[in-house]
Amino acid sequence: RRASFFASLKMKSAAPPGVLMVGTGEYTTGYVAGKSAESDKKAGVVALVLFDLRRRGLLNPSRMLMAGTRGAKFPEIRKHLQTQIADRYTGMDVTFKSFPADDQVDANAYQSALGHLETGDLVVIFTPDDTHYAIAAAAIERGCHVLLTKPAVKTLEDHRKLVEAADRRGVLVMVELHK
């Protein structure tokens, strides 16, 4: 099914979709509180999978983005991803464009990152629960497909708004359930 999903996305565009990862923590990068996670997710999950999909030609190599709130974390995240992923997996490119810049703090950096995506690109949201709605709504309005971690949103009203917006824009919105 995964291959057919990506094949259907590629049919709408000459190139594979780009992707924005929103959130820089354990599930995305495996980097927590200045070091490698102490759990079984030392390499993260989200970035690892997306880097592998890019390696397989299923994601656009020029539109691999990551947004967080504190840019100062990105140099260390890059080193972490290099040692945990690139140094261990053949041909795994762990490069990405980050938002905000390394010298900035911006809780809304995802908005700038969305400006670098095209209609039909993907947004993966692994952030604190109370931020899901605003980020997903902005991604949907941009015309991007969205995957967010549980809980999708905090209220039934917000859930309905996302479903209506996704229907209106013709994009998919999916919820990832772990554990």
Side-chain angles (χ1 to χ4, degrees):
R1 286 188 168 183
R2 177 180 39 200
S4 63
F5 170 73
F6 282 100
S8 71
L9 291 176
K10 287 172 91 171
M11 291 173 61
K12 295 178 182 179
S13 168
V19 65
L20 166 61
M21 297 170 267
V22 185
T24 61
E26 180 179 22
Y27 273 91
T28 301
T29 66
Y31 188 76
V32 180
K35 61 183 180 173
S36 184
E38 294 180 11
S39 70
D40 61 342
K41 292 171 246 357
K42 290 177 180 33
V45 175
V46 175
L48 174 63
V49 169
L50 295 175
F51 293 143
D52 184 52
L53 290 171
R54 175 174 59 186
R55 182 177 59 95
R56 295 168 187 245
L58 297 171
L59 291 174
N60 191 314
S62 65
R63 286 197 317 278
M64 179 73 68
L65 316 173
M66 187 181 297
T69 57
R70 291 187 309 112
K73 290 193 314 188
F74 285 120
E76 290 301 316
I77 288 171
R78 284 184 173 88
K79 287 179 193 173
H80 171 78
L81 294 173
Q82 180 65 39
T83 60
Q84 293 296 315
I85 299 173
D87 292 349
R88 297 176 184 200
Y89 296 91
T90 304
M92 194 76 82
D93 175 9
V94 296
T95 61
F96 59 91
K97 181 168 177 56
S98 57
F99 299 85
D102 292 356
D103 63 345
Q104 296 178 358
V105 174
D106 182 359
N108 295 311
Y110 69 89
Q111 293 174 348
S112 297
L114 286 170
H116 292 261
L117 295 180
E118 297 177 4
T119 298
D121 281 347
L122 314 173
V123 177
V124 180
I125 303 168
F126 276 75
T127 59
D129 298 349
D130 61 342
T131 66
H132 291 180
Y133 175 77
I135 299 167
I140 291 166
E141 287 308 314
R142 179 77 181 162
C144 296
H145 303 286
V146 175
L147 173 67
L148 28 88
T149 191
K150 65 168 174 74
V153 292
K154 301 209 42 138
T155 69
L156 181 57
E157 179 183 351
D158 285 348
H159 176 84
R160 287 181 176 150
K161 287 179 187 177
L162 289 183
V163 169
E164 290 168 5
D167 285 346
R168 186 176 66 255
R169 295 292 292 154
V171 297
L172 298 172
V173 176
M174 300 164 281
V175 179
E176 180 275 346
L177 300 170
H178 57 274
K179 294 184 188 173

